[in-house]
Amino acid sequence: MKPQIALITGATSGIGKATASLFAQHGIALVLCGRNQTALKNLQETLGKHTKVLSLNFDLRDREAVCKAVEGLPPDFQNIDILINNAGNAHGLSTLQTGSVADWDAMIDTNVKGLLYITKAVLPVMIRRNHGSIVNIGSVAGKEVYAKGNVYCASKHAVNALNKAMRLDLNEYDIRVSAIHPGAVETNFSKVRFKGDETRAQKVYEGYTALQAADIADIIYFVITRPPQVTIEDLVVYPSAQASAHLLRKNQHSDDQ
Ligand code: 8X3
């Protein structure tokens, strides 16, 4: 099989980084996208030992920057086969009446609008080649709404809707569209949600074994390596201790989630 090219958003940490590392081990060329230039360069250097890597430093919320980054891809990296729409964060865990509008903007701008911008920028090449796989990283928060999750849940419900919409709109092409909806994954997610409060973030993952970013990367790799006639519409993936967005069995009580 011809070497493939994957573009991964939010590539410098968590699920994005684990996916980039796994893809690199399988010789998939990488376009790593992220906001942290130093982290991007470090990852490019590490993964560059295994595969061809290009890093693109831009903010997904900036539509012009997204278009420029994709339009400026060098010829070797233009034919993107795989798009991993991974970038996204939770900011805050508050009721609507006490929530921060800036947090809402950040979540809607990245998790929803950013995902749309990059997808629209990458689609022309997939359509021209009548070929591609898109994997949208949603969340159980896109399947259920939990207390104080309001706007984050709304943004991930939007990802769930857009995953279905892409499948409908792209049905005339050989472009596969899939979503993975993880439950609790032990990454920087909670540290970002709780604005750097390590103690509060740590508590989210205490008392049970959370999913690891590599667990989700494995599943993403599984999804993109199915035979061409197989498309996985979506997968909800929980830690074994979690039964729903609302029910997580912990050995010790935590007030934070
Ligand atoms: C991450 C899952 O339940 O912590 O998207 O919001 S949850």
Side-chain angles (χ1 to χ4, degrees):
M1 197 170 70
K2 259 179 64 187
Q4 295 198 299
I5 302 172
L7 184 148
I8 304 176
T9 65
T12 58
S13 66
I15 294 169
K17 186 176 179 182
T19 304
S21 305
L22 185 62
F23 282 11
Q25 286 166 31
H26 289 280
I28 298 174
L30 296 168
V31 180
L32 304 175
C33 305
R35 285 178 300 168
N36 182 333
Q37 172 73 343
T38 311
L40 272 177
K41 283 289 158 205
N42 289 340
L43 192 60
Q44 179 171 17
E45 206 177 305
T46 310
L47 301 185
K49 292 172 189 143
H50 307 285
T51 189
K52 274 179 16 177
V53 185
L54 179 80
S55 63
L56 294 178
N57 182 213
F58 63 91
D59 188 335
L60 209 54
R61 292 174 293 186
D62 179 344
R63 187 155 64 95
E64 259 181 52
V66 173
C67 292
K68 250 197 206 157
V70 175
E71 279 163 15
L73 282 171
D76 276 9
F77 287 94
Q78 277 169 7
N79 287 340
I80 293 163
D81 303 283
I82 302 156
L83 168 63
I84 309 295
N85 276 326
N86 163 70
N89 274 319
H91 298 281
L93 186 69
S94 318
T95 57
L96 274 178
Q97 54 275 31
T98 57
S100 142
V101 174
D103 283 347
W104 301 351
D105 284 344
M107 291 186 277
I108 290 169
D109 288 351
T110 303
N111 304 3
V112 185
K113 290 166 72 181
L115 179 143
L116 283 167
Y117 296 159
I118 190 77
T119 305
K120 191 162 174 64
V122 168
L123 272 179
V125 74
M126 289 190 173
I127 289 173
R128 181 171 53 75
R129 297 170 72 221
N130 191 31
H131 160 84
S133 291
I134 300 173
V135 182
N136 296 305
I137 306 304
S139 167
V140 295
K143 297 281 184 176
E144 294 175 63
V145 179
Y146 52 82
K148 300 184 180 175
N150 43 62
V151 178
Y152 178 68
C153 295
S155 75
K156 290 298 186 175
H157 272 68
V159 174
N160 188 31
L162 290 172
N163 184 63
K164 292 173 195 285
M166 285 180 206
R167 293 180 44 68
L168 296 171
D169 293 349
L170 297 169
N171 178 252
E172 62 187 292
Y173 305 107
D174 289 339
I175 298 174
R176 301 193 288 190
V177 180
S178 312
I180 314 292
H181 298 286
V185 187
E186 191 168 359
T187 60
N188 270 342
F189 176 86
S190 293
K191 197 172 151 198
V192 173
R193 166 169 267 175
F194 299 133
K195 303 176 193 303
D197 183 339
E198 299 257 13
T199 317
R200 201 172 169 202
Q202 204 45 49
K203 277 192 183 162
V204 174
Y205 308 112
E206 275 171 12
Y208 70 106
T209 306
L211 291 168
Q212 301 300 303
D215 298 326
I216 302 300
D218 269 347
I219 293 164
I220 294 170
Y221 184 71
F222 174 81
V223 166
I224 60 138
T225 51
R226 291 312 82 211
Q229 74 278 13
V230 179
T231 295
I232 291 166
E233 171 164 319
D234 71 0
L235 289 171
V236 179
V237 186
Y238 287 113
S240 302
Q242 188 174 17
S244 81
H246 307 275
L247 187 62
L248 182 58
R249 172 173 40 89
K250 289 196 174 199
N251 298 330
Q252 57 201 61
H253 182 70
S254 161
D255 290 330
D256 281 295
Q257 278 237 324

